[in-house]
Amino acid sequence: MEKEKPNSENSVKYIIHKPLAYGKKLYIGEFLAEKFIKLVAFISIAAIFAIFYYVFQEATYAFKSPEKINEYVQKSHLNSNQNTSSDNLKQESYNSNSDNSTSPSTNQEDLKQESYSSNVDQNLKQESYSPTTTEGELKQDTYSSEKDVPKQIVETKNKSKLKKIETSVETPIENLTESDKQAISQRAQILKTSLEETLGEKPITFKEMFSPNDYIDNKPDYVWQPVGNTPKFSFIPLFYGALKVTMIGLVIAAPLAILAAIFTVSFAPKWLKEIIKPAIEILAGFPSVVLGFFCLMTLATVIQEVFHTTYRLNSFVGGIGMALAVIPIIYTVTEDALTAIPRFMSEASLALGASRWQTAWRVLLPSAAPGVFAALILGFGRAFGETMIALMATGNAALVSNNIFESVRTMAATIGAEMAEVEFRGVHYGVLFLIGAILFMVTFSLNALAEFYVRKKLMKRIQGL
Amino acid sequence: MKNVNIKISTKNLNLYYGTKQALMDITLDIPEKQVTAFIGPSGCGKSTFLRTLNRMNDLIDGVKIDGSVYIDDINIYDKNIDVVQLRKRIGMVFQKSNPFPKSIFDNVAYGPRVNGISERSKLEEIVVESLKRAAIWDEVKDRLKSSALGLSGGQQQRLCIARCLAVNPDIILMDEPASALDPISTSKIEELISELKDNYTIVIVTHNMQQAARVSDFTAFFYIGELIEFDKTKTIFTNPSNKKTEEYITGRFG
Ligand SMILES: Nc1ncnc2c1ncn2[C@@H]1O[C@H](COP(=O)(O)OP(=O)(O)OP(=O)(O)O)[C@@H](O)[C@H]1O
Ligand SMILES: [Mg+2]
């Protein structure tokens, strides 16, 4: 004690303050660090939103006929040298004409988008880089060589040219009578529908996704049959399957995890606590493919022998797999919530003559209830989106049945199983992205709920505000 | 110390936090239905000693205790003692009020409930009686269903006293019950203590010499883990036999 005193007095002397004055000093290191952090934060947030946007964007292909059909319809259409009133086609023809007006050498029948855009690009480049340009407006706006900018410029700046284009576009359409136009669009529609049907690429609607799409013994049925002449995309069996496996998983995992957490917090001696906690936390990082493999190879056999089930792989086996994946999550979050309850709470209870069990059950758990709820929601989200275990252990048959020993197919597993066989930007492709979007929205809204509602409540309970 | 029964009696009590000894060979007799105050400088072991009396120190890892504590001539550190039963007989009021995040009613009813009373009418009777005895009934009678955390600090502390009265203990241990309170709340609690001592054996830790002088019948002075002096409060404050005690109560250190 006596030795430390002079030291502490000295250390105070080392800090010498400059006299107070106006003027801020710039610390380069700090400045850069701040900028860097901002940049990184921006990039990560942007990445999240980009993915978000992309998934929803791609999901729209479920509701559209595929590009190749549209293209084919247009081509066969324009080959007969007629224009249509369809918006899509109008635009196409407009574009091709715009090409023509600026570069007369282009063939009028050439509808390839690539050639269109490259032509415009070239045109603009020529204009912008040629020193003989007379239009002052153009000069300012043509420094960029990006592809988007030229389009804009074509539209806004070259007004005189645009007028020319418009007149040239409208003339052929005006030559057609109303009935002609109708006949043309009807023909296009019929061609489109028949193409969609023969190729099995009929776009879906939301209503179709959630209403019965098959009848078995006159009973409405929900069928997921993405491949075939008439693909059937009913979401009900997938949603039901995911929910079923998740609920089975949670029903098994929640009591185990919560009791384990209570045990470690209020019963286990210190040394045991120090073993159990990290051990279960390590389990959280267990690759789910290993859990799935275990369920597939070992657990499924055991379950079949014990319960004499018809199917080796079923929602119960999958549910146990989910429980294995989810227990560490629920345990960890619950344990944290219980540990966060101030020590004096349990002391107050014990001092009143409550047993340790009564204290845990009547004081700790209710006080930590919001945290436990958050744990359950996190677990739900994890199980709901879990792919590997579902893929390997549930049997993947899209059945709607209340029997827990029947196979199911979950939403996530469907994406995992079918992603390799879909055609790029076909209807099935869009549907898989739609499943992804729905999965995302379910977990997102659950997490948001946990975040905003539960956390507030927990803080309220602990701080007593 | 004539005419009084001994309620609590410690014999050669030593307590170690790991290797550090916090209580040294303490032998002390606490009389029944009297208020006994523990005074002494910070860190001298008052709280530690108080917590040995209802075995709350058992909850702390690495605590080792030897010696014995007799309550009604039964050694509470005996292997065969049921700690839960022991704690039901000894109420404790903590320095920082610590109501449960439950309603006022449920706070007071907690003790009876863990004792197996579930009849609503009985619970109500106990709750009202306890709140009245803790002199807080008038302030909370209209809001029994609202959260105890909405009460003021002084009300919370009296609620904690009511909660501990509800289990009908013989002994009440109070660790600086008024240290965080304003003078009005403090005097209310002091009044309460004087009223309660007719029925309960009360042990109170305090840093406030006037408080010790006002409320207690006996005073024990601790110094660095040792019991320096124990006597009638009057004697301690007017004619202490130990020089350290005198220095402490006259404010020369501590
Ligand atoms: N949980 C613990 N672990 C280790 N040492 C402790 C623990 N609790 C108390 N001590 C030590 O035991 C000694 C006595 O502490 P105690 O809390 O009983 O003092 P006190 O007299 O109540 O002080 P105060 O008046 O400040 O409350 C102190 O030196 C303290 O540092
Ligand atoms: Mg203390």
Side-chain angles (χ1 to χ4, degrees), chain B residues 6 25 90 96 99 103 116 120 140 143 148 160 169 191 204 224:
Chain B
I6 300 305
D25 203 32
I90 306 173
K96 191 169 170 285
S103 72
R120 186 79 195 174
V140 299
R143 49 196 283 206
C160 290
E191 268 169 44
I204 176 172
I224 321 183

Side-chain angles (χ1 to χ4, degrees), chain B residues 2-247:
Chain B
K2 281 162 208 161
N3 307 330
V4 286
N5 295 326
I6 300 305
K7 183 74 177 174
I8 308 169
S9 151
T10 69
K11 299 246 154 64
N12 305 98
L13 189 73
N14 290 292
L15 183 142
Y16 307 82
Y17 287 117
T19 52
K20 184 173 165 271
Q21 189 165 6
L23 294 178
M24 288 159 204
D25 203 32
I26 292 183
T27 301
L28 174 67
D29 291 336
I30 295 172
E32 191 172 22
K33 294 190 179 166
Q34 301 284 330
V35 179
T36 303
F38 291 174
I39 59 169
S42 191
C44 67
K46 306 180 296 290
S47 300
T48 303
F49 183 61
L50 196 72
R51 290 163 60 93
T52 56
L53 303 183
N54 64 345
R55 290 189 60 170
M56 285 305 268
N57 283 328
D58 294 15
L59 305 173
I60 295 168
D61 292 309
V63 167
K64 216 177 81 217
I65 295 165
D66 60 54
S68 42
V69 177
Y70 292 93
I71 291 179
D72 294 337
D73 296 327
I74 290 171
N75 184 3
I76 62 167
Y77 281 95
D78 192 278
K79 286 201 301 288
N80 297 321
I81 286 287
D82 181 351
V83 183
V84 172
Q85 287 305 322
L86 169 78
R87 292 195 189 125
K88 285 185 210 271
R89 311 244 336 257
I90 306 173
M92 188 163 205
V93 178
F94 296 79
Q95 174 170 0
K96 191 169 170 285
S97 61
N98 53 359
F100 301 122
K102 299 170 186 276
S103 72
I104 293 171
F105 183 93
D106 287 344
N107 259 280
V108 184
Y110 182 85
R113 277 188 178 133
V114 299
N115 276 292
I117 297 173
S118 55
E119 253 175 87
R120 186 79 195 174
S121 58
K122 247 189 204 165
L123 281 176
E124 258 163 30
E125 198 182 313
I126 294 173
V127 168
V128 173
E129 174 70 21
S130 309
L131 287 170
K132 276 182 181 160
R133 272 204 277 172
I136 191 184
W137 171 245
D138 289 332
E139 287 155 75
V140 299
K141 65 179 176 221
D142 303 322
R143 49 196 283 206
L144 292 178
K145 289 270 169 296
S146 57
S147 171
L149 300 175
L151 296 172
S152 76
Q155 288 170 331
Q156 284 190 8
Q157 195 60 294
R158 273 177 289 148
L159 178 72
C160 290
I161 295 174
R163 184 176 66 183
C164 119
L165 296 180
V167 273
N168 193 27
D170 324 331
I171 301 168
I172 300 175
L173 308 174
M174 296 181 168
D175 195 348
E176 301 181 47
S179 70
L181 303 181
D182 68 309
I184 295 171
S185 305
T186 304
S187 69
K188 272 191 184 157
I189 287 186
E190 284 177 13
E191 268 169 44
L192 188 60
I193 291 170
S194 331
E195 274 163 35
L196 290 175
K197 78 172 180 190
D198 296 341
N199 299 308
Y200 305 92
T201 302
I202 296 174
V203 183
I204 176 172
V205 171
T206 179
H207 274 283
N208 183 330
M209 293 305 114
Q210 284 82 18
Q211 188 173 65
R214 279 195 300 267
V215 302
S216 69
D217 306 301
F218 293 85
T219 298
F221 173 61
F222 288 83
Y223 187 69
I224 321 183
E226 279 180 89
L227 175 64
I228 303 293
E229 195 171 347
F230 176 67
D231 212 325
K232 283 207 165 113
T233 300
K234 228 192 234 162
T235 320
I236 291 265
F237 278 88
T238 53
N239 187 20
S241 53
N242 190 295
K243 209 168 144 265
K244 277 248 169 58
T245 317
E246 192 187 342
E247 278 174 359

Side-chain angles (χ1 to χ4, degrees), chain A residues 227 409 413-424 428-429 432:
Chain A
V227 185
R409 188 183 189 89
T414 303
I415 301 180
E418 293 168 17
M419 61 184 178
E421 45 196 68
V422 299
E423 194 170 329
F424 183 64
H428 190 190
Y429 167 95
L432 291 193

